[in-house]
């Protein structure tokens, strides 16, 4: 008799979250050691309700389309499991005779994953628990980077390039672009590649540094005065010198995190009011984690490989780990996978290195040496004749 | 001695505006009848300053990259020419011995084009003036559709699909997407293709109908209660029952048009405050007219063909026309080009047919019979397992 496996998604999607699911499912089929492939419908909610999707007989062609599908194909949620929930989780795992449990998520989810693993051990269950990392924010520790980051960063870099060209081709206003990432500035930093790609002026603000808005307005006024157009990219989570978000939606998510809102619009309004310069804010927002046309190929391949590695590790009997990536940035890019203890990644947030932020609004080349291979390289070459 | 030609861009770019420029430039080189190829640096501003870019000897490989370049490669502006400006325009045309003038723009620009043509005639200049249509808004009359619309519509449709999947895969909030198009709802209507592509719930609001926000809130509450997630797409230019924009940036553009602002954010705030449902607004904004990854192939081909046809028409001695498209929607899509008198398209705005709006927030299939071939078809097929 083979193994029964369960995959669940936690938190927001990435453009490649379903590639990892495909990796798990296809490796499970290839292994010949898996009986039932289950997915939790809407993540923790499905586990608590005992509402699982049976993927065992889903056609191979449908599984193969997963890596071309945005958002979570099996559904996700933001419910943070409490101590009171864990017995119900164990009940579902028992009811469906689950041998291997894969939880795909960020640092909150790795905490959940860790707790399920420990509780299962305490209950004497022969359950193998493996965490599959994903987050566009790239804020997980130990792993060189997270699946999902490369694609969202590519969206950020190329999207910002196109907006920089708009701003310089029709220089009638300052364009302010808001980038996702509440506390970690990795994605916003990627937008600064726009100045390398387009040779346009770009000012970039990360949440790791408090923003002195007086200085920011002075910098914007000076750069805009050059008449070449100006793009400002800013993290949704940027705070002012008082340590409070520049803009605040007033909404708190299921994990208790305050959701910032309208940061770009806020800065755009300041530009209009304080500098008397036209400005407009763009907020691609959730598009940044769902745009399948800007997928980074290495990111998609890694996400798939991470899912496959998780399945293979569990079959070997490993438990209590998250799959992590070791990257080799030589002449060509390559990577290895390894297992990192869950307790070392749970609830830890990896911030953008402060030494890669130059004068408050520029990003050092060192970041791009790190990030460009993850974004898939091959950035567009434009014909600018003006 | 050959002809000297001048190309200028007016107003906002489209994802294929540079394809038309490429069409003009390559046809000019192939014709063997053109001496000098000039472009106005930043549109009317360049013409008034006598600041032209000489493209005559730009390498063919650079010209070929134009159709992969967003925003205006030669620069554009929003300056509306006044009667006092026209003598300066004529002066520049004389100074550079321009024989053929191509103005690429929307209905404002076609008005300019028409005035230049009439003034040149009055001055006894042997100038041939041809308008090249472009606008993502698709609001030009006579032509079946405008180059630029198909690509921006594809962005709108697929972008909305990805957001609809996000909203249904993680149904914790109503997602509100703002779509460009101040007065004409063509692009916003394209976003409604998301319900066909994803089978998710989508409510769509066009500027052609005043929005009864009480009814809107009731519809949103009812659809969201189904628990499957909800995407609302809304034109930036939507007005309430009082005929005033739902949200207003307070900014007036160079043509005297008031720029609406934050319509999606405004609706999102209403959802939170009145319905006590979480909501977030996304505003891809200018990205919608610069995203080169969502180009519609037929749109790019048409934009190129329109530029080529403009050049060939001018060489034949035609003047005072805009190139227009006649579309054939048979088993396969094809098109013909023809010349439409400038005075018939200048300043006319083609609105979205009211009979294609169903119950205030759905779009009739007839629109998609019209628009799908222009968007390039081949819409994504997703693997939704939840």
């Amino acid at each position: 008799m083979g193994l029964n496996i369960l995959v669940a998604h936690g938190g927001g999607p990435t453009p490649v979250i379903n590639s990892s699911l495909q990796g798990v499912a296809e490796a499970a089929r290839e292994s010949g050691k898996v009986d039932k492939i289950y997915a939790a419908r809407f993540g923790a909610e499905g586990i608590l309700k005992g509402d699982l999707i049976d993927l065992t007989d889903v056609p191979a062609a449908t599984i193969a389309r997963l890596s071309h599908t945005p958002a979570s194909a099996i559904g996700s949620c933001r419910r943070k499991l409490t101590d009171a929930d864990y017995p119900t989780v164990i009940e579902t795992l028992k009811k469906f005779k689950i041998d291997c449990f894969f939880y795909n998520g960020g640092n909150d989810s790795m905490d959940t994953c860790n707790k399920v693993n420990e509780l299962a051990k305490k209950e004497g269950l022969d359950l193998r628990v493996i965490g599959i990392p994903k987050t566009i924010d790239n804020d997980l520790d130990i792993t060189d980077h997270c699946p999902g980051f490369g694609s969202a960063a590519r969206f950020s870099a190329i999207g910002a390039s196109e907006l920089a060209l708009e701003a310089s081709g029709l220089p009638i206003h300052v364009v302010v672009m808001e980038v996702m990432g509440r506390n970690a500035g990795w994605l916003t930093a990627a937008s600064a590649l726009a100045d390398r790609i387009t040779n346009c002026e770009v000012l970039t603000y990360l949440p790791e540094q408090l923003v002195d808005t007086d200085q920011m307005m002075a910098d914007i006024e000076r750069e805009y005065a050059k008449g070449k157009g100006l793009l400002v990219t800013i993290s949704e989570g940027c705070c002012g010198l008082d340590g409070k978000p520049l803009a605040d939606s007033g909404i708190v998510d299921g994990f208790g995190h305050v959701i910032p809102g309208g940061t770009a619009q806020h800065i755009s309004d300041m530009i209009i009011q304080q500098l008397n310069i036209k400005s407009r804010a763009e907020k691609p927002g959730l598009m940044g984690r769902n745009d399948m046309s800007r997928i980074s190929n290495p990111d998609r391949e890694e996400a798939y490989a991470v899912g496959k590695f998780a399945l293979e590790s569990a079959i070997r009997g490993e438990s209590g780990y998250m799959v992590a990536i070791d990257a080799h940035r030589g002449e060509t890019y390559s990577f290895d996978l390894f297992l990192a203890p869950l307790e070392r990644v749970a609830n830890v947030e990896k911030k953008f290195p402060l030494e890669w932020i130059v004068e408050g609004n520029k990003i050092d080349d060192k970041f791009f040496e790190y990030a460009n291979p993850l974004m898939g390289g091959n950035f567009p070459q434009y014909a600018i004749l003006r």
Side-chain angles (χ1 to χ4, degrees), chain A:
Chain A
M1 217 178 90
L3 303 166
N4 296 333
I5 70 167
L6 172 63
V7 185
H9 287 168
T14 80
V16 297
I17 187 171
N18 299 317
S19 293
S20 292
L21 174 60
Q22 185 180 337
V24 172
E26 291 186 349
R29 288 175 176 189
E30 283 159 21
S31 74
K33 294 186 177 159
V34 173
D35 261 5
K36 285 279 182 189
I37 306 173
Y38 292 110
R41 184 173 276 121
F42 295 103
E45 301 276 9
I47 298 175
L48 290 174
K49 289 181 199 154
D51 185 9
L52 307 189
I53 310 164
D54 188 345
L55 302 183
T56 314
D57 298 319
V58 170
T62 305
I63 298 293
R65 264 212 310 277
L66 281 170
S67 56
H68 300 275
T69 299
S72 169
I74 54 179
S76 184
C77 68
R78 284 209 181 274
R79 176 163 181 163
K80 183 150 176 88
L81 294 174
T82 64
D83 287 345
D85 290 324
Y86 285 102
T88 318
V89 172
I90 297 293
E91 204 175 296
T92 297
L93 294 170
K94 281 183 178 167
K95 181 179 166 195
F96 288 87
K97 300 188 171 62
I98 302 300
D99 301 291
C100 308
F101 174 52
F102 304 99
Y103 203 36
N104 186 327
N107 38 34
D108 286 320
S109 301
M110 291 309 136
D111 178 53
T112 302
C113 214
N114 196 28
K115 285 181 179 152
V116 170
N117 186 52
E118 287 179 359
L119 194 64
K121 261 195 258 171
K122 210 183 286 175
E123 299 264 332
L125 283 184
D126 181 21
L127 182 74
R128 304 147 198 195
V129 179
I130 303 284
I132 299 175
K134 68 90 208 165
T135 160
I136 59 167
D137 293 336
N138 201 37
D139 57 357
L140 279 171
D141 205 12
I142 311 290
T143 187
D144 176 85
H145 59 277
C146 295
F149 169 65
S151 296
R154 187 173 182 86
F155 174 91
S156 181
I158 299 180
S161 297
E162 291 172 341
L163 288 179
L165 289 175
E166 159 87 32
S168 63
L170 184 61
I172 57 172
H173 40 218
V174 175
V175 176
V176 187
M177 173 185 171
E178 183 170 318
V179 185
M180 295 192 92
R182 293 175 197 168
N183 305 310
W186 300 92
L187 274 185
T188 307
S191 71
L193 193 63
D195 65 5
R196 277 81 166 175
I197 293 179
T198 66
N199 211 21
C200 297
E201 196 55 48
V202 183
L203 300 177
T204 298
Y205 297 89
L206 271 59
E208 280 82 357
Q209 275 195 347
L210 298 180
V211 177
D212 175 344
T213 50
D214 289 343
Q215 183 61 51
M216 181 194 230
M217 288 300 127
D219 290 341
I220 288 171
E221 188 166 38
R222 186 191 64 245
E223 294 306 327
Y224 186 73
K226 292 178 182 167
K228 303 273 189 188
L230 176 62
L231 173 69
V232 176
T233 61
I234 186 162
S235 162
E236 59 178 348
C238 273
C239 293
L241 290 180
D242 60 1
K244 290 182 189 157
L246 291 172
D248 181 347
S249 69
I251 302 174
V252 177
D253 75 9
F255 290 112
H257 302 154
V258 172
I259 299 177
T263 306
Q265 189 63 52
H266 179 77
I267 296 303
S268 176
D269 291 347
M270 284 182 75
I271 293 169
I272 295 170
Q273 288 156 13
Q274 296 189 17
L275 304 181
N276 200 24
I277 296 172
K278 280 187 192 172
S279 178
R280 53 173 292 160
E282 314 301 350
K283 185 190 170 197
L286 299 171
M287 274 194 176
R289 67 186 191 196
N290 289 291
D291 188 326
M292 302 304 284
S293 70
R294 294 277 161 75
I295 289 264
S296 148
N297 288 328
D299 186 33
R300 175 140 64 187
E301 286 160 20
E302 282 180 352
Y304 183 93
V306 162
K308 187 170 188 276
F309 192 83
L311 186 280
E312 292 167 348
S313 302
I315 284 184
R316 275 204 318 275
E318 305 284 4
S319 189
Y321 297 102
M322 182 189 83
V323 180
I325 301 172
D326 193 11
H328 314 292
R329 293 176 176 78
E331 199 120 317
T332 57
Y333 173 80
S334 66
F335 67 96
D336 287 311
L337 301 178
F338 64 99
L339 294 175
L342 279 170
E343 69 267 18
R344 286 192 56 202
V345 282
N347 294 323
V348 180
E349 198 166 43
K350 182 172 71 177
K351 301 255 179 123
F352 190 87
L354 287 179
E355 62 270 25
W356 288 354
I357 305 175
V358 182
E359 290 172 9
N361 53 34
K362 295 285 175 188
I363 304 299
D364 196 278
D365 281 338
K366 287 202 184 71
F367 167 68
F368 295 107
E369 289 164 21
Y370 164 84
N372 286 7
L374 314 180
M375 293 193 240
N378 296 311
F379 298 110
Q381 290 191 297
Y382 301 118
I384 308 302
L385 306 172
R386 57 188 177 256

